[in-house]
Amino acid sequence: MNLTISGHHLEVTPALREYVLTKLDRVTRHFDQVVDINVLLSVEKLKEKERRQKAEVTLHVKGKDIFVENAHEDLYAAIDQLMDKLDRQVCRHKDRLNDHHHVAAKRIDGAAT
């Protein structure tokens, strides 16, 4: 798994990098076929009162790219909400993969009689 954590108008500190890694463990625990993860943390400097912290993740799994972004006043809160969204999308992708490999109930009943 390739992991890239970068910052735009922001220096990625070791504490911030460790926080992102601990949050990503939850996603990789659900789905182990992750090929590549790109994390972009940025600060949008609109006005002094409206500074917005933004976090984006592009997750490349086998057969699909999942992109999630979230913005908040606090970067750590943005990362928390982002990982919740990413976790839901990865679980949904995993469920879709598993749902295609079952036999319909009608076919089972028709074959038994």
Side-chain angles (χ1 to χ4, degrees), residues 39-86:
V39 180
L40 177 64
L41 307 172
S42 62
V43 176
E44 295 179 358
K45 298 180 181 181
L46 302 172
K47 293 181 183 176
E48 191 60 34
K49 292 181 181 178
E50 299 177 3
R51 290 181 54 165
R52 201 165 58 172
Q53 316 285 328
K54 188 174 177 184
E56 302 175 0
V57 172
T58 304
L59 185 90
H60 179 71
V61 295
K62 184 179 176 185
K64 185 170 183 170
D65 286 338
I66 299 173
F67 176 77
V68 181
E69 66 179 347
N70 198 359
H72 197 271
E73 293 174 359
D74 181 27
L75 187 59
Y76 288 95
I79 292 170
D80 285 340
Q81 293 172 358
L82 174 85
M83 293 303 167
D84 290 339
K85 284 183 182 180
L86 185 65

Side-chain angles (χ1 to χ4, degrees), residues 5-99:
I5 301 174
S6 57
H8 190 252
H9 297 292
L10 170 77
E11 180 182 345
V12 180
T13 61
L16 198 55
R17 180 178 298 276
E18 187 64 31
Y19 189 74
V20 170
L21 287 174
T22 56
K23 292 294 181 172
L24 278 173
D25 284 341
R26 189 174 80 183
V27 174
T28 56
R29 188 173 355 132
H30 287 297
F31 195 67
D32 59 346
Q33 297 177 356
V34 177
V35 177
D36 190 24
I37 301 175
N38 293 323
V39 180
L40 177 64
L41 307 172
S42 62
V43 176
E44 295 179 358
K45 298 180 181 181
L46 302 172
K47 293 181 183 176
E48 191 60 34
K49 292 181 181 178
E50 299 177 3
R51 290 181 54 165
R52 201 165 58 172
Q53 316 285 328
K54 188 174 177 184
E56 302 175 0
V57 172
T58 304
L59 185 90
H60 179 71
V61 295
K62 184 179 176 185
K64 185 170 183 170
D65 286 338
I66 299 173
F67 176 77
V68 181
E69 66 179 347
N70 198 359
H72 197 271
E73 293 174 359
D74 181 27
L75 187 59
Y76 288 95
I79 292 170
D80 285 340
Q81 293 172 358
L82 174 85
M83 293 303 167
D84 290 339
K85 284 183 182 180
L86 185 65
D87 191 37
R88 284 193 303 269
Q89 286 199 12
V90 166
C91 287
R92 195 168 74 195
H93 175 67
K94 185 177 177 182
D95 289 342
R96 285 181 181 166
L97 288 177
N98 292 338
D99 284 346

